[in-house]
Amino acid sequence: MDHVTLHSLDAPASALGMGCASLGSRVGAKAARAALDRAFEAGVTWYDLAPAYGAGQAEEIFAGFAKDKRDRIQICTKVGLLPPKPSMLKRMLMPIARPIAGAIKPIRAAIKGSGLTANRAVTLTSDLLVSSLDQSLIRLNTDRIDVYALHNVRPEDLQNDALLRTLEDIKTSGKARAIATASSHAAAAAGIATKHIDVVQMAHPDLPEGLIATAQARKIDTITHSVFGVAGSLKTLEAKLDSQTRATLHDMGFETAADLLLARARATNPAGITLCSMMSPRSLNANIRAAHLPLSHEAQSLCATFGI
């Protein structure tokens, strides 16, 4: 596993990070723990969480995995989203529905489209920043996290003096080593412009030109996500690849369209972290294999050729 050295932490982290959004929802606790163990054994040290993930269960599931590894991993958790409103019926049906939804894509899509699993956005306030972090630390069974990220933060929030003072107090307390935006590209740009943000996390598709370079020049760390999913990038690319193009990609070391997209993401953000889903052995192995390919700007050019 390649590593990058983050300015905000002054420490190395795995170039691939594991997105943990489905721990406890799409993936049950036992399977989630197995996935976390596999990723760690493969060299992954960066784990991306939030109180809302896994219908509110992700942090607690993660705690069991992290308890004897705390000094060997980096944890990012967030504030700004709440999990779907719980109900007794939903809790009873989840263990039954999970394997069915996992096996049948139309059912999984229907559940997602229903809104039943949608997280709830909340307004960021100083009290929420403090209380949410304290609750996350309890669920994670740790006394500190590496990065505290502002979920869905608005550019104007980063001009709120009270919020900014609270973020500085949180860092001073040692409960979080760095503060991040985890929102729109506009919020990332606003974060880069303020001295209070150490990390920007953003979707890779439609990434504004020069945004990552500007962040890195100011020693602000960069994390990209949604390499395959936003705007249907992977599905669109696969539909455009004919047999001749696939053979060309294979000669370049790209076994799948997903390999190409991951290579593009890593070449775009070579000094930062790329978040991926690694819940199944197949997805983990595919991502690790692709991550071992040499960084190449050819991947960026090829994706641009296909309008991706």
Side-chain angles (χ1 to χ4, degrees):
M1 171 62 67
D2 288 344
H3 287 75
V4 294
T5 298
L6 301 180
H7 302 295
S8 58
L9 305 181
D10 191 26
S14 57
L16 288 189
M18 183 174 182
C20 298
S22 56
L23 299 185
S25 52
R26 185 171 63 84
V27 180
K30 184 177 180 180
R33 176 59 189 269
L36 290 165
D37 287 336
R38 286 192 300 267
F40 181 75
E41 289 168 5
V44 176
T45 66
W46 190 272
Y47 298 88
D48 183 80
L49 296 131
Y53 288 173
Q57 300 182 68
E59 290 180 324
E60 290 184 358
I61 291 172
F62 186 83
F65 157 78
K67 65 181 180 180
D68 59 349
K69 305 177 183 68
R70 187 62 194 91
D71 294 330
R72 294 179 286 165
I73 61 175
Q74 295 88 28
I75 300 173
C76 171
T77 198
K78 307 180 185 73
V79 58
L81 288 181
L82 296 177
K85 290 184 178 179
S87 70
M88 181 62 69
L89 179 61
K90 187 183 296 184
R91 286 195 294 268
M92 290 172 61
L93 291 178
M94 180 62 75
I96 300 171
R98 184 182 292 121
I100 299 173
I104 305 175
K105 285 187 178 181
I107 293 179
R108 186 164 67 246
I111 293 173
K112 186 175 182 180
S114 71
L116 293 174
T117 59
N119 295 322
R120 297 172 288 149
V122 290
T123 301
L124 294 178
T125 66
S126 292
D127 287 344
L128 178 65
L129 294 180
V130 173
S131 63
S132 181
L133 177 56
D134 286 343
Q135 292 163 18
S136 285
L137 292 175
I138 291 171
R139 286 189 292 267
L140 290 165
N141 193 28
T142 185
D143 60 352
R144 85 277 185 198
I145 58 170
D146 297 283
V147 176
Y148 192 35
L150 309 178
H151 232 158
N152 290 346
V153 65
R154 303 169 301 170
E156 55 265 35
D157 292 329
L158 298 174
Q159 302 299 318
N160 184 316
D161 289 339
L163 292 181
L164 296 177
R165 283 196 300 271
T166 301
L167 292 173
E168 287 301 313
D169 289 343
I170 285 172
K171 286 178 60 176
T172 301
S173 73
K175 292 180 179 180
R177 296 178 63 190
I179 304 298
T181 63
S183 185
S184 64
H185 296 138
I192 293 170
T194 175
K195 65 180 182 179
H196 300 276
I197 297 299
D198 310 294
V199 183
V200 289
Q201 180 171 314
M202 50 206 163
H204 182 274
D206 301 321
L207 196 64
E209 185 175 355
L211 188 60
I212 285 181
T214 300
Q216 289 289 333
R218 299 188 182 186
K219 298 188 182 304
I220 293 175
D221 296 310
T222 50
I223 302 172
T224 55
H225 61 85
S226 303
V227 174
F228 311 122
V230 168
S233 302
L234 179 55
K235 186 176 181 180
T236 300
L237 179 59
E238 287 177 333
K240 292 184 177 184
L241 295 181
D242 57 27
S243 58
Q244 182 176 350
T245 306
R246 289 181 184 276
T248 300
L249 292 178
H250 191 271
D251 290 341
M252 297 173 63
F254 304 124
E255 294 187 17
T256 66
D259 287 358
L260 179 60
L261 290 176
L262 183 54
R264 188 261 303 258
R266 293 195 63 232
T268 303
N269 187 26
I273 294 170
T274 303
L275 294 179
C276 297
S277 174
M278 306 180 187
M279 291 302 162
S280 71
R282 181 173 177 270
S283 63
L284 171 66
N285 293 336
N287 290 336
I288 296 296
R289 183 196 68 242
H292 281 116
L293 294 173
L295 290 177
S296 170
H297 291 289
E298 288 181 305
Q300 295 168 298
S301 300
L302 282 168
C303 288
T305 298
F306 291 108
I308 304 298

